[in-house]
Amino acid sequence: MTQSVDHVALLPGYLAAATAVLVLLADLFVARRAVTLVVAVCGAVATAVVAIVFSGARATFCLPEGCSYVVNSRSALFAALFGFLTAGVLLLSAPLLRAGVAPAGEYCFLLACSMTGGVVLASAGDLITLIIALETLTLPLYVLVGMRRQTMESAAAAVTFFVVSVVATAVSLLGAALLYAVTSRLHLSSLGPALTGDVSLAGGDPVRALDLPLTSAGIALLVLGLAFKVAAVPFHAWAPPTYDGAPLPVAAYLSTASKLGGVMALLAVVTVALPPAVTGPVLAALAVLTMTVGNLVALRQIRMTRLLAWSSVAQAGYILAPLGALALSPGRTGEAFDTAITAAVSYTVFFVVLELGAFAAVVALREPTADGGRLDSYRGAARRTRWVGAALALALIGLAGLPPGLAGLFAKVAVVRSLLTGSSGWLAVIVALNAVIGLAYYVRVAALLYAPDPLNRPTRAIPWPAAGVLAAATAFAIAVGFAPQLVLNWATG
């Protein structure tokens, strides 16, 4: 059977892949660091803009069972977010590349390849496309994490990330293979009905697919394999050492774009393919464990990057919480279902923007070749570099869900509202309690920025790339905080 190809639907993916090729050509023929970086940034921004412009409902690579590539407003939002995140991380990387820590051509090429995987993942309509796109997003990061030359921490972080990610991929593939063995379906739109219908076994009467142990094992393995990608407890141990050992801009990409990819994959399989009545309790348990462990361990951190890493673990719990409430809306319809999906998507968007702003401030406060450093080294930072310190404090307050961090405040309210709408009041109470625990370390670090500096260190200039990313991330976070309906309209797809 022949398939028609909608090249307009594929245009963001084409641009992302073309960016990687152009970066290689620019590095080969021009061999100037600035030119390579500009080509990569322009390609990433163009990918994001095209994803927004062509955000109408489209599909390609279609069969009677379903389509392998589906574009809608939600996938366009995620693709655009990937493009802008990549552009921001590239700008943050300018001081790192100027210091010769990593070769510009290879660095920009790997980030562009990872962005291509993220853009394709946003529109994945079958399990094969989803898993391949997720691995395309992840594979370049193994190398990027190890690019702090001559440091044992960077090499150890790269090996840890590689081993854990390979195991997670194997688990996800095994789960997908088991589901295919039961249903003979790969497309997400047809997998759901097949799982809730009957299957014929050799020499026996038809039975419901969900009643088979093989089906339960496949669903569990697929969900748990994807839980590795979002660093959900108890599959989180790789995140803090990997973030701390990676170059700071790469850690920023890991905590934003990489987590965004895992959330997109979970959303795709949970909201379209897998039965919410089965996945809901599992995701609710993961959410409670993730937010509680993340917040409690973050209280004891003395290094900035590890604190942000454990903070991102806790934030993943808040994202998973609305998905855990989907068990009460098994028909994938109704106000509870729509509110839960909207809350998960909007919280992801706000978290990614605020997290990027926090890392941009850390990059601006540190030397290009340095790691995140100890929290004590940030004492009085807002007195030495007023605007950077204020931006970091705003990002931390936003992650805590306090005003004036309006984006974070709206995101947490949206999550709690979705849980109350879905009659998951007990989970809403746990989210609220964990938000209070999170205040302890967010506010502590924000206060440390304004504490008197006993060393009287001089004022430090802000690197222009970090200043630009800080300004953009802060402006966007404030803007969407005042106009949350803009994100809601995109999140509902």
Side-chain angles (χ1 to χ4, degrees):
M1 179 179 294
T2 59
Q3 293 181 341
S4 61
V5 179
D6 187 347
H7 294 286
V8 176
L10 295 169
L11 195 54
Y14 288 158
L15 279 174
T19 300
V21 175
L22 289 174
V23 164
L24 280 183
L25 294 176
D27 187 56
L28 177 63
F29 292 108
V30 181
R32 295 185 61 183
R33 186 187 304 114
V35 173
T36 302
L37 188 60
V38 167
V39 169
V41 171
C42 291
V45 172
T47 300
V49 171
V50 168
I52 294 173
V53 172
F54 298 100
S55 59
R58 314 180 75 96
T60 188
F61 299 118
C62 294
L63 292 172
E65 295 82 12
C67 298
S68 295
Y69 199 88
V70 181
V71 177
N72 52 37
S73 60
R74 190 187 305 157
S75 68
L77 170 65
F78 282 139
L81 196 56
F82 259 106
F84 286 129
L85 279 176
T86 305
V89 171
L90 284 165
L91 290 174
L92 290 180
S93 304
L96 188 78
L97 300 177
R98 193 182 304 118
V101 174
E106 290 87 337
Y107 187 91
C108 295
F109 170 75
L110 290 170
L111 274 178
C113 288
S114 183
M115 175 183 67
T116 303
V119 170
V120 174
L121 177 61
S123 301
D126 63 52
L127 289 176
I128 293 177
T129 305
L130 185 141
I131 292 177
I132 290 178
L134 189 58
E135 286 312 295
T136 304
L137 164 66
T138 307
L139 273 171
L141 299 179
Y142 303 151
V143 183
L144 288 170
V145 168
M147 275 196 168
R148 273 173 60 199
R149 292 173 171 171
Q150 299 178 346
T151 59
M152 185 61 67
E153 293 83 1
S154 182
V159 172
T160 300
F161 185 39
F162 172 75
V163 172
V164 172
S165 191
V166 166
V167 172
T169 302
V171 171
S172 299
L173 281 171
L174 181 56
L178 292 178
L179 293 178
Y180 178 74
V182 173
T183 64
S184 300
R185 295 288 188 271
L186 286 172
H187 292 90
L188 300 179
S189 58
S190 61
L191 183 59
L195 287 173
T196 55
D198 292 339
V199 295
S200 298
L201 299 178
D205 296 329
V207 296
R208 199 166 71 112
L210 281 177
D211 294 334
L212 296 175
L214 203 62
T215 304
S216 300
I219 292 174
L221 289 173
L222 182 58
V223 171
L224 295 180
L226 297 177
F228 273 100
K229 302 294 184 180
V230 297
V233 175
F235 315 109
H236 66 290
W238 63 271
T242 301
Y243 289 14
D244 201 26
L248 279 176
V250 176
Y253 192 82
L254 274 171
S255 65
T256 54
S258 178
K259 191 175 292 291
L260 175 61
V263 170
M264 287 193 313
L266 269 175
L267 277 171
V269 298
V270 169
T271 62
V272 179
L274 303 183
V278 178
T279 60
V282 176
L283 291 173
L286 287 176
V288 171
L289 282 173
T290 301
M291 68 179 81
T292 304
V293 172
N295 281 319
L296 291 178
V297 180
L299 291 172
R300 299 178 56 83
Q301 298 308 304
I302 60 174
R303 294 182 59 81
M304 177 60 81
T305 308
R306 283 185 175 266
L307 182 137
L308 290 175
W310 283 105
S311 162
S312 73
V313 170
Q315 300 291 336
Y318 300 136
I319 296 170
L320 293 177
L323 302 182
L326 293 181
L328 299 176
S329 54
R332 304 182 198 279
T333 57
E335 182 184 2
F337 184 86
D338 294 338
T339 305
I341 301 307
T342 301
V345 173
S346 56
Y347 197 100
T348 302
V349 173
F350 295 138
F351 159 71
V352 162
V353 173
L354 291 169
E355 186 82 350
L356 182 65
F359 268 101
V362 172
V363 170
L365 292 171
R366 304 291 293 173
E367 296 297 328
T369 57
D371 57 15
R374 294 171 60 90
L375 292 177
D376 292 343
S377 64
Y378 292 84
R379 181 179 295 275
R383 296 170 179 261
R384 300 190 300 274
T385 48
R386 183 175 302 171
W387 293 109
V388 177
L392 179 54
L394 178 63
L396 293 172
I397 293 299
L399 290 170
L402 291 175
L406 295 177
L409 176 62
F410 165 73
K412 282 190 170 55
V413 170
V415 168
V416 172
R417 176 175 173 270
S418 72
L419 296 174
L420 295 177
T421 302
S423 300
S424 297
W426 66 273
L427 192 51
V429 171
I430 294 177
V431 168
L433 290 175
N434 273 278
V436 173
I437 296 174
L439 295 179
Y441 58 88
Y442 286 125
V443 174
R444 173 169 61 92
V445 177
L448 188 67
L449 297 171
Y450 288 92
D453 182 9
L455 301 179
N456 293 320
R457 285 167 285 193
T459 300
R460 184 171 177 267
I462 309 173
W464 69 265
V469 174
L470 269 173
T474 304
F476 182 83
I478 294 175
V480 296
F482 279 111
Q485 193 63 38
L486 293 175
V487 175
L488 288 178
N489 291 338
W490 285 73
T492 53

